[in-house]
Amino acid sequence: MALRLHNTLTRRVEPFAPLDPVNGPTMYLCGPTVYNYVHIGNARGPVVFDVLAALLRRRFGQLRYARNITDVDDKINAAAREAGVPISAITERFTQVYLDEMAALGVQPQPLQPKATEHIAQIIAMIERLIERGHAYAAEGHVLFSVGSYKDYGKLSRQSPEDMLAGARVDVAPYKQDAGDFVLWKPSTDDLPGWDSPWGRGRPGWHIECSAMAEAHLGETIDIHAGGIDLQFPHHENEVAQSECAHGGKPFARFWLHNGMLVFGGSKMSKSLGNVERIHTLLERYPGRSEALRYALLSAHYRQPLDWTPALVEQSIRTLDRLYGTLRDLGDVDATAVIPQSVEEMLDDDLNTPQALAELARLAGDARKAEGADARRDAKAALLGAGLALGLLQREPSEWIAGETSDDDDARIQGLIDARIAAKAAKDFARADAIRKQLADDGILLEDTPQGVRWKRA
Ligand SMILES: [Zn+2]
């Protein structure tokens, strides 16, 4: 058995082993820019790569895993100006919100959580090295990376220079030698956050932060760089260029892993379409059910798009109801989690979480049928173990089941109604009818009115 991962660099699934077998693998995941509540699509990477991090620790005994926080950015400056508060008030608040939300989704905290503002010295040092080696130049208080100085530029996203220019939506600026050159450092006015540098008071560009923080915590060549597919270009392409040029051509990341995007009823989730589902809204809508959000995020293979619908969350809640119900029925059995070989093999196969979730359901079926003390103990150990590998089923069954009948029932009913509306909009009338029937079975009557759907208890 060997772990195999899809590598964007080669577009192939390849066997994975760490560069340094003694100290174990290294992994870097691009984190959030902390200026607002993030949408559920931003949680897919952290949840999927949380499963991978646990797997890497099991395979190789240890892992150095850095997930950064971008706490200097023009979007943060704009948010602070709009709210009339200091920038730190915005970044501190939304860093905490983000960490709390990740904890609610079962994402394990990591010791390496570098912040951009705490690595300004390393960023400046890396920019100086790039200038010395002829890969960057200073102009009018800016420092720019010279794309023409790096012959492999574009090797990750495999785009032509013309496509890259179009994709990067580059600003035309008089201080640029080439339109594709990107900013490493830019000047700050007095009202903006800034640090003294050889090029005057200023602040770093976004891409250089990740290169500098990866180097500071994980070294010059890292095993795995992960992130959303939307970051592949220009962000990740620029990270490769900066790091490899700063390190005399040494490879930056041996494996690039990219997760697919969330879509909402077939279209991309975006602010302009008004279909953004924020994590904090979902946590309010499904109180006590955050584990179902994690389940839903793992329900498709990480490289595929995931269609996020209220029905998906509802299905995930029902599935966890059944799984926790099985564990409750095994409440008299004393067992510790043992991760089944079958689940390990599915995860070794480029992190096939949908298959592992199907296996979880199969193991629960076996557990319900198990007879005799030994068989019941083994079945419970396997079910708990499969859950452990996915970061699921680690609560007391009674806790999950109690959530079901708490005062939060109204939110659950509203969630079902939303799911039914979405099903009707998608012309999935069988599902819409099934949800109506489920609500009727729960004693909830629906009434379609000009103001929308109203409901009452029978
Ligand atoms: Zn990054």
Side-chain angles (χ1 to χ4, degrees), residues 68-211:
N68 76 293
I69 300 276
T70 294
D71 60 350
V72 51
D73 187 277
D74 290 348
K75 290 192 283 280
I76 298 171
N77 303 339
R81 201 177 308 127
E82 198 174 302
V85 297
I87 282 153
S88 60
I90 296 284
T91 55
E92 280 164 24
R93 173 169 177 225
F94 286 107
T95 298
Q96 197 51 52
V97 166
Y98 179 78
L99 296 177
D100 291 346
E101 289 177 349
M102 290 305 116
L105 296 175
V107 175
Q108 292 303 306
Q110 300 296 329
L112 296 178
Q113 207 156 254
K115 291 180 178 169
T117 55
E118 291 168 4
H119 295 79
I120 300 295
Q122 290 92 332
I123 290 169
I124 290 174
M126 189 177 257
I127 296 174
E128 286 184 308
R129 247 179 297 156
L130 287 169
I131 293 175
E132 272 163 35
R133 296 181 179 200
H135 294 294
Y137 56 92
E140 298 180 29
H142 293 72
V143 181
L144 291 119
F145 185 90
S146 166
V147 165
S149 75
Y150 176 52
K151 66 171 174 38
D152 284 339
Y153 191 71
K155 74 173 173 182
L156 179 64
S157 57
R158 297 195 182 177
Q159 299 184 87
S160 69
E162 296 75 39
D163 288 346
M164 285 191 281
L165 268 184
R169 285 172 300 221
V170 293
D171 301 324
V172 180
Y175 46 80
K176 280 188 183 179
Q177 289 175 2
D178 196 303
D181 293 352
F182 58 88
V183 167
L184 302 174
W185 189 264
K186 54 188 163 187
S188 290
T189 48
D190 287 345
D191 58 327
L192 289 175
W195 291 264
D196 290 331
S197 80
W199 319 286
R201 184 174 176 278
R203 60 196 192 282
W206 172 37
H207 314 301
I208 192 73
E209 294 172 13
C210 285
S211 283

Side-chain angles (χ1 to χ4, degrees), residues 178-315:
D178 196 303
D181 293 352
F182 58 88
V183 167
L184 302 174
W185 189 264
K186 54 188 163 187
S188 290
T189 48
D190 287 345
D191 58 327
L192 289 175
W195 291 264
D196 290 331
S197 80
W199 319 286
R201 184 174 176 278
R203 60 196 192 282
W206 172 37
H207 314 301
I208 192 73
E209 294 172 13
C210 285
S211 283
M213 288 188 276
E215 179 198 68
H217 295 279
L218 305 175
E220 295 190 343
T221 297
I222 65 177
D223 285 310
I224 298 172
H225 194 311
I229 190 73
D230 56 332
L231 296 185
Q232 181 180 295
F233 186 83
H235 184 54
H236 291 163
E237 194 74 62
N238 291 353
E239 283 188 44
V240 173
Q242 294 160 164
S243 295
E244 300 201 347
C245 290
H247 300 145
K250 262 195 212 168
F252 172 40
R254 300 171 57 234
F255 280 72
W256 280 90
L257 267 60
H258 287 108
N259 64 272
M261 296 291 99
L262 253 60
V263 290
F264 196 81
S267 44
K268 191 174 179 279
M269 201 179 281
S270 83
K271 260 179 236 160
S272 55
L273 290 173
N275 61 3
V276 169
E277 280 279 29
R278 294 204 157 92
I279 299 171
H280 93 114
T281 318
L282 287 164
L283 292 174
E284 275 171 19
R285 192 182 306 153
Y286 302 103
R289 292 290 174 261
S290 56
E291 191 171 340
L293 304 179
R294 181 180 176 99
Y295 186 102
L297 287 168
L298 295 172
S299 64
H301 189 267
Y302 76 93
R303 286 197 283 128
Q304 301 301 319
L306 170 61
D307 199 3
W308 187 268
T309 61
L312 172 67
V313 181
E314 286 299 330
Q315 282 163 10

Side-chain angles (χ1 to χ4, degrees), residues 321-334:
D321 283 347
R322 279 197 301 281
L323 295 171
Y324 272 116
T326 303
L327 285 173
R328 178 197 53 200
D329 296 344
L330 292 164
D332 58 316
V333 179
D334 203 8

Side-chain angles (χ1 to χ4, degrees), residues 48-64:
V48 161
F49 299 119
D50 179 64
V51 173
L52 177 60
L55 176 67
L56 290 168
R57 288 203 168 92
R58 291 199 298 281
R59 291 293 171 281
F60 304 105
Q62 54 190 324
L63 168 72
R64 275 181 297 151

